[in-house]
């Protein structure tokens, strides 16, 4: 199996001087990041194919930078080998019925220095290599210095080995020159197998319409325009089309000049690598998803929290807390005689409890969130998003129920309520005792002997003071009780919703966030690779 692209990035590509610190290196790194994010989500076969394509392309950059690999490809009878011979000035490729059956390509190299490693990488056997500057019977053509010209087998051959050889070399050539025949230029074999998949490689392609001498002059332009139309339908509107006749020499100077222009431009190799990276990114995007990266809105999470809170009956519990605490506190701070009179009216009732969780509502709410979020990611991520949110629904329900049951709802009254109750009884005792003392003294006729305070007998002061202070304390206590009940209700609401928030974050939001972050990294990597 092909090594993962991330291994290639870690062990080879960044450390290679051919790509380090370059735009191509950044694009390769971006593609590597996309592959890293896609692991476990996109099929390994796709990722390994992308890895192989990028390793192959960047491998070319580590080889001879002074050579440009130009591949001549075409169908049987297209005149490909005649064109090859015309370009080299040598009879190196057999034509017509003399066409060999070998599945190997042949290569002519202008400027052999440093070409050996490149030819080995291309897989061209030594017996199929010709060093153009070593031919003593011809002059050295310095203008082609650095060109490695390949003659590929016929791409429409019935031999499978020929197809494989063409596919292999088309995938690595710096410049591809496709030779078409006026009789077969619309053949689906070349358009479907080679042209349509190469929409990203327009800058490293040329098309030569051969045997143009067999076409009446008045029909030639129409035929060239038709070739261009077909190329545009294949997604290759920018590919240059040259009419030639290798047999008669028509257009060969123009073809040779265009090849030389691109060779001298010294960008064919890098353009080829960039095109390969873009094509690999396109395949990866097709498998992973084209949807722009999205985030999980906080507002949507809060809506889900509210629905889960409703499923737990938190609002009813909070209302119960406010009512129960209020009734108990009011009873505790009321003037005892009045509290006795009202005992049957609004008793404190039972302690509020969290009702059983509506599991069906919880499951439906979480699944709906997962489905909604999965629409915002690519098809490779959508199942993972749904699974991350809904795979633990039973455990999520149990955690919610357990966490809500363990919350202290704050039903116990604070110490100051007990102190107010004690003061009430002390004031009641003072009032009853003072009035009783005064009454006894009046019956015994000893009221004149009682100590006076502010013009009133001391027992009267005690009785009236206890009564007034008790009623005043009851009024103040009722005002404090309203705030206490609301405070306890707010605290209970915060604690209960805190449990819902914590469980939702850990069991749903964070797992979804991991997938969304992974998809965002995937999209960023692709954007970098295709920049």
């Amino acid at each position: 199996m092909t090594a993962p692209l991330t291994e290639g990035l870690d062990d080879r590509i960044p450390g290679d001087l051919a790509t380090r610190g370059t735009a191509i290196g950044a694009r390769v790194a971006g593609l590597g990041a996309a592959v890293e994010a896609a692991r476990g989500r996109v099929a390994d076969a796709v990722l390994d194919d992308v890895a192989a394509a990028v390793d192959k392309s960047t491998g070319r950059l580590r080889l001879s930078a002074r050579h440009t690999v130009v591949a001549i490809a075409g169908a049987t009878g297209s005149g490909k080998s005649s064109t090859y011979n015309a370009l080299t000035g040598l009879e190196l490729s057999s034509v017509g019925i003399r066409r060999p059956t070998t599945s190997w390509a042949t290569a002519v190299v202008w400027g052999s220095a440093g070409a050996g490693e490149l030819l080995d990488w291309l897989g061209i056997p030594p017996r199929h290599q010709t060093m153009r500057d070593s031919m003593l019977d011809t002059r050295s053509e310095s203008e082609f210095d650095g060109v490695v010209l390949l003659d590929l087998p016929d791409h429409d051959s019935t031999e499978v080995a020929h197809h494989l050889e063409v596919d292999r070399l088309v995938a690595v050539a710096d410049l591809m020159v496709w030779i078409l025949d006026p009789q077969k230029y619309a053949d689906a074999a070349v358009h479907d197998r080679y042209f349509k998949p190469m929409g990203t490689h327009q800058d490293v392609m040329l098309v030569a319409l051969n045997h143009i001498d067999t076409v009446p002059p008045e029909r030639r332009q129409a035929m060239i325009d038709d070739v261009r139309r077909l190329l545009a339908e294949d997604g290759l509107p920018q590919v240059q089309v040259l009419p030639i006749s290798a047999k008669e020499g028509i257009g060969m100077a123009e073809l040779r000049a265009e090849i030389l222009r691109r060779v001298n431009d010294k960008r064919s190799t890098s353009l080829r690598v960039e095109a390969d990276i873009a094509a690999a990114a396109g395949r990866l995007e097709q498998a992973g998803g084209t949807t722009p990266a999205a985030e999980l809105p906080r507002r949507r999470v809060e809506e889900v929290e509210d629905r889960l809170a409703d499923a737990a009956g938190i609002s009813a519990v909070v209302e119960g807390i406010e009512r129960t605490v209020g009734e108990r506190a009011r009873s505790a701070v009321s003037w005892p005689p009045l509290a006795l009179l009202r005992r049957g009216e609004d008793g404190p009732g039972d302690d509020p409890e969290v009702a059983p969780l509506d599991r069906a509502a919880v499951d439906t709410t979480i699944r709906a969130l997962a489905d909604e979020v999965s629409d915002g990611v690519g098809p490779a991520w959508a199942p993972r998003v749904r699974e991350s949110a809904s795979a633990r629904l039973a455990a999520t329900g149990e955690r919610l129920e357990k966490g809500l049951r363990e919350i202290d709802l704050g039903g116990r009254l604070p110490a100051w309520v007990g102190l107010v109750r004690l003061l009430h009884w002390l004031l009641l005792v003072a009032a009853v005792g003072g009035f009783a003392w005064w009454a006894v003294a009046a019956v015994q006729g000893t009221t004149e002997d009682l100590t006076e305070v502010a013009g009133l007998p001391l027992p009267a002061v005690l009785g009236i003071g206890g009564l007034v202070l008790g009623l005043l304390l009851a009024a103040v206590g009722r005002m404090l009780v309203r705030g206490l009940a609301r405070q306890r209700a707010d605290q209970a609401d915060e604690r209960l919703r805190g449990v819902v928030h914590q469980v939702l974050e850990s069991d749903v939001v964070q797992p979804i966030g991991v997938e969304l972050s992974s998809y965002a990294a995937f999209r960023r990597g692709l954007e970098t690779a295709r920049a």
Side-chain angles (χ1 to χ4, degrees):
M1 181 177 291
T2 305
L5 180 59
T6 50
E7 293 181 11
L9 291 171
D10 293 340
D11 300 336
R12 296 184 298 279
I13 294 172
D16 192 274
L17 294 178
T19 59
R20 179 184 296 173
T22 66
I24 291 178
R27 295 177 67 178
V28 171
L31 191 57
V35 169
E36 177 80 16
R39 283 290 174 190
R41 298 164 180 87
V42 174
D44 285 343
V46 174
L47 301 181
D48 292 341
D49 180 56
V50 170
V54 175
D55 285 347
K56 177 172 57 183
S57 298
T58 53
R60 170 67 182 94
L61 295 177
R62 292 192 293 267
L63 300 171
S64 174
R66 65 183 296 267
H67 286 92
T68 302
V69 179
V70 181
I72 309 295
T76 304
S78 64
K80 172 176 56 64
S81 295
S82 297
T83 304
Y84 181 77
N85 290 338
L87 289 171
T88 61
L90 302 171
E91 287 291 331
L92 294 174
S93 261
S94 299
V95 297
I97 60 173
R98 295 179 295 138
R99 187 84 177 125
T101 58
T102 177
S103 61
W104 296 101
T106 59
V108 172
V109 181
W110 282 265
S112 58
E117 187 180 6
L118 176 59
L119 291 170
D120 289 343
W121 182 79
L122 291 170
I124 307 298
R127 66 181 181 277
H128 291 278
Q129 302 173 13
T130 300
M131 299 303 165
R132 187 65 175 80
D133 53 3
S134 71
M135 304 295 295
L136 299 180
D137 58 340
T138 62
R139 65 183 182 85
S140 175
E141 301 181 359
S142 59
E143 60 181 3
F144 254 44
D145 189 49
V147 173
V148 177
L149 192 65
L150 303 180
D151 180 24
L152 307 189
D154 299 333
H155 70 75
D156 60 346
S157 170
T158 57
E159 294 289 336
V160 175
H162 291 192
H163 295 168
L164 296 177
E165 180 74 349
V166 173
D167 291 350
R168 184 180 69 83
L169 290 173
V170 162
V172 296
D174 299 329
L175 175 63
M176 294 170 291
V177 180
W178 290 93
I179 310 299
L180 301 183
D181 179 82
Q183 303 299 321
K184 297 190 298 182
Y185 68 81
D187 189 0
V190 67
H191 288 274
D192 293 343
R193 184 178 179 88
Y194 296 105
F195 288 174
K196 288 181 180 179
M198 303 192 73
T200 56
H201 290 67
Q202 297 188 78
D203 292 337
V204 292
M205 289 179 63
L206 278 177
V207 169
L209 183 60
N210 197 18
H211 303 315
I212 198 66
D213 58 302
T214 64
V215 179
E218 66 274 11
R219 291 184 51 209
R220 291 177 184 178
Q221 188 58 49
M223 183 173 289
I224 293 170
D225 291 341
D226 196 41
V227 172
R228 289 174 176 151
R229 177 186 62 81
L230 292 174
L231 290 172
E233 291 178 357
D234 294 335
L236 302 168
Q238 305 301 322
V239 171
Q240 186 172 0
V241 180
L242 297 175
I244 68 168
S245 172
K247 178 181 178 182
E248 300 296 332
I250 300 174
M252 291 306 298
E254 289 78 3
L255 176 60
R256 185 185 185 93
E258 182 60 25
I259 293 174
L260 285 173
R261 185 187 69 80
R262 300 200 183 195
V263 169
N264 293 331
D265 190 38
K266 299 299 183 184
R267 293 193 65 239
S268 293
T269 301
S270 61
L271 286 174
R272 173 66 204 228
V273 174
E274 290 173 2
D276 287 347
I277 293 171
R283 292 197 299 275
L284 188 57
E285 183 178 52
Q286 186 177 13
T290 60
T291 306
E295 296 180 352
L296 180 57
R298 193 67 235 173
R299 174 191 54 79
R300 187 68 182 90
V301 175
E302 291 171 355
E303 291 176 359
V304 173
E305 288 182 5
D306 290 339
R307 293 183 183 180
L308 296 189
D310 292 341
I314 288 179
S315 296
V317 175
V318 170
E319 292 175 0
I321 286 290
E322 185 173 12
R323 183 175 58 255
T324 301
V325 170
E327 290 173 352
R328 288 178 177 174
R330 279 194 298 273
S331 177
V333 302
S334 295
W335 182 241
L338 296 178
L340 290 174
L341 293 175
R342 297 181 56 193
R343 172 167 294 181
E345 297 180 8
D346 54 352
D350 298 329
D351 290 337
E353 295 181 353
V354 177
L357 184 67
D358 186 348
R359 293 287 191 94
V362 171
D363 292 357
T364 300
T365 299
I366 293 177
R367 289 184 189 277
L369 176 66
D371 290 341
E372 178 183 329
V373 175
S374 66
D375 290 338
V377 297
W381 269 260
R384 292 288 294 262
V385 168
R386 290 192 289 268
E387 181 183 359
S388 67
S390 59
R392 298 180 297 275
L393 286 177
T396 299
E398 291 175 1
R399 288 191 62 197
L400 274 174
E401 285 190 330
K402 183 175 182 294
L404 293 171
R405 285 196 305 266
E406 293 176 349
I407 290 298
D408 179 6
L409 298 178
R412 291 181 299 175
L413 298 178
W416 67 263
V417 174
L419 179 60
V420 170
R421 178 181 295 175
L422 176 61
L423 289 174
H424 268 308
W425 283 106
L426 291 176
L427 292 172
L428 179 60
V429 169
V432 172
F435 285 126
W437 182 10
W438 194 12
V440 171
V443 171
Q444 294 177 352
T446 60
T447 56
E448 296 178 354
D449 298 332
L450 296 174
T451 303
E452 292 186 357
V453 176
L456 292 175
L458 178 60
V461 172
L462 289 175
I464 296 171
L467 178 61
V468 171
L469 291 176
L471 293 174
L472 180 61
L473 182 60
V476 174
R478 289 180 70 86
M479 288 190 294
L480 295 176
V481 161
R482 284 195 294 270
L484 172 66
R486 185 66 259 167
Q487 180 187 41
R488 288 297 176 84
D490 290 343
Q491 290 174 347
D493 185 70
E494 183 178 354
R495 291 168 185 165
L496 292 171
R497 289 181 181 274
V499 171
V500 173
H501 174 80
Q502 182 179 4
V503 173
L504 184 64
E505 281 287 327
S506 61
D507 286 17
V508 179
V509 175
Q510 290 181 5
I512 287 179
V514 169
E515 296 303 319
L516 292 182
S517 296
S518 170
Y519 186 68
F522 172 76
R523 293 300 312 169
R524 286 194 303 271
L526 287 182
E527 289 169 5
T528 301
R530 304 179 73 171

